[in-house]
Amino acid sequence: MTPKTLLVVYHTMTGGTEQMAQAAVEGARDEPGVHVRLLRAPEAQPQDVLGADGYVFATPENLAAMAGLMKDFFDRCYYAALDRVSGRPYAVLVCAGSDGQNAARQIDRIATGWRLRAVAPALIVCTHAQTPEDIARRKQIGGADLARCRELGGALAAGLALGVY
């Protein structure tokens, strides 16, 4: 059987989203038969999207939206992947200061255009950062939240390995 590839694309400025993405990668790497690739959003290219069998998109919530560099990733890759990735599974991670729902909704709308299949509800970790100092401060994601990210990565990778997706 040909190994499957899980692509994790993320952006971070204060480290929270990177910790979440790394945890998802750790969980996914425990699954034999799945190659896991972790790319920062500015590095990810259309061929990376086309070469993957499943995806985790991880973004901070910035001004009640996905991060601009995540939007840039989707802008650069959208049309090259359109009608070429239909049915592939994806999941969303959001590191939020308040609720993160709009950032998740934005990614879900793009994924709908690509006709991807959501395999889990968006996993949103709220840091409650509300002051300029707290927003800019380096984030530390708690162990329970990182465990949820690991489980999501592991479950997505297991589904790919088993041919469920």
Side-chain angles (χ1 to χ4, degrees):
M1 181 167 29
T2 305
K4 300 292 184 172
T5 299
L6 176 63
L7 176 64
V8 180
V9 179
Y10 76 100
H11 175 64
T12 194
M13 288 186 65
T14 61
T17 308
E18 182 174 24
Q19 293 166 52
M20 294 170 65
Q22 287 281 359
V25 166
E26 289 169 16
R29 285 197 173 139
D30 288 341
E31 187 62 45
V34 177
H35 173 67
V36 184
R37 297 189 63 213
L38 176 67
L39 293 175
R40 289 182 167 270
E43 298 165 356
Q45 299 299 319
Q47 63 268 24
D48 299 311
V49 174
L50 293 171
D53 301 291
Y55 313 94
V56 175
F57 303 119
T59 186
E61 171 193 54
N62 290 346
L63 303 171
M66 82 170 102
L69 285 176
M70 279 302 290
K71 174 70 167 59
D72 173 73
F73 154 72
F74 286 117
D75 286 345
R76 287 183 292 102
C77 297
Y78 188 81
Y79 291 106
L82 189 61
D83 295 328
R84 297 176 69 190
V85 295
S86 298
R88 295 179 189 179
Y90 81 99
V92 175
L93 303 174
V94 178
C95 184
S98 56
D99 82 355
Q101 293 294 321
N102 195 50
R105 243 186 327 273
Q106 288 176 314
I107 293 174
D108 285 340
R109 288 184 62 129
I110 292 166
T112 297
W114 269 345
R115 292 169 188 76
L116 298 179
R117 181 168 52 150
V119 296
L123 195 161
I124 299 171
V125 173
C126 186
T127 65
H128 305 286
Q130 294 299 302
T131 66
E133 297 78 21
D134 285 345
I135 291 166
R137 186 174 292 122
R138 182 117 182 111
K139 305 297 181 289
Q140 185 59 48
I141 305 302
D145 287 322
L146 292 176
R148 293 190 311 143
C149 295
R150 271 190 293 281
E151 289 170 12
L152 183 141
L156 184 48
L160 284 172
L162 293 170
V164 173
Y165 314 124

